Amino acid sequence: MIRHLLITLPVALLAACNNNNREPVMPPENNIANGMAMTPPAPAPADGNAAYLAKAGAGDLFEIESSRAILAKTDDKAVKDFANMMIDAHGKSTAKLKAAAAQAGIAVAPPRLEPDQQAKLESIKSASAAEATRDYLTAQREAHAAALALHQGYARNGPTPALKTAAGEIAGVVQQHIDRLAKLPK
């Protein structure tokens, strides 16, 4: 009898853990169709620190490089002022994350652009001044929305306290950038 319990108990526990009576999760496109267009903060990346730091580093690098590219293309003072602010602010956020990672004993790989970021950067570089400005501002809006979700998500759910604090501070700055972008032409 005891032997039977020792064999069936683990099987019963495994079956309970594999409960398939969960409610289905609606894909994001259905949420938009149902009027839920707001993007919630992203959860912390599955592999934690490395994925967060890679995405944040790529985002900062894109902000900096695309801003340098638009400075060579546009004469619009408001766009130039914004681009200069991006170079300064995203350099600071990279430094803040590196310092927080060092405090936590985490090595940070050099940032690399993701393929879509590289394509957008090349588009800005090769476009006429007017097209480059339009592409730059569109890319900035998209990148800042993604950055805000990334940093807010890590600040709420990330595994490392020093990085969570830095992410929360950076999210506030990213929101200021979004507010400033709202004042620039569409």
Side-chain angles (χ1 to χ4, degrees):
M1 174 79 167
I2 292 176
R3 180 184 287 172
H4 178 70
L5 278 175
L6 290 174
I7 294 171
T8 58
L9 184 59
V11 171
L13 288 173
L14 283 173
C17 289
N18 191 21
N19 182 358
N20 289 326
N21 294 330
R22 297 183 188 118
E23 290 186 34
V25 176
M26 293 177 62
E29 63 271 11
N30 288 347
N31 290 340
I32 292 170
N34 291 328
M36 296 172 56
M38 243 175 72
T39 303
D47 58 348
N49 298 326
Y52 168 68
L53 289 167
K55 282 205 156 303
D60 282 343
L61 183 60
F62 176 72
E63 300 292 344
I64 292 167
E65 293 303 318
S66 63
S67 294
R68 286 180 178 151
I70 199 62
L71 286 172
K73 290 275 188 173
T74 189
D75 290 328
D76 185 316
K77 181 177 176 357
V79 173
K80 282 188 170 207
D81 288 347
F82 182 80
N84 282 316
M85 182 177 75
M86 292 302 94
I87 293 166
D88 180 58
H90 288 281
K92 287 178 181 174
S93 66
T94 295
K96 183 180 291 263
L97 286 177
K98 283 182 180 180
Q103 178 185 351
I106 299 167
V108 180
R112 292 182 0 178
L113 292 178
E114 294 178 357
D116 66 314
Q117 293 169 323
Q118 185 66 50
K120 289 175 185 176
L121 178 59
E122 294 306 320
S123 174
I124 292 165
K125 287 180 176 181
S126 65
S128 68
E131 290 171 337
T133 299
R134 184 195 66 230
D135 291 351
Y136 171 75
L137 293 173
T138 298
Q140 291 298 310
R141 288 181 175 98
E142 292 169 359
H144 279 86
L148 184 61
L150 175 71
H151 293 298
Q152 285 178 336
Y154 193 92
R156 287 192 182 129
N157 304 313
T160 305
L163 286 173
K164 286 176 74 163
T165 299
E169 293 170 2
I170 292 167
V173 173
V174 171
Q175 182 60 59
Q176 291 172 0
H177 297 169
I178 291 170
D179 296 343
R180 180 100 178 253
L181 273 166
K183 296 175 184 174
L184 294 172
K186 298 276 180 209

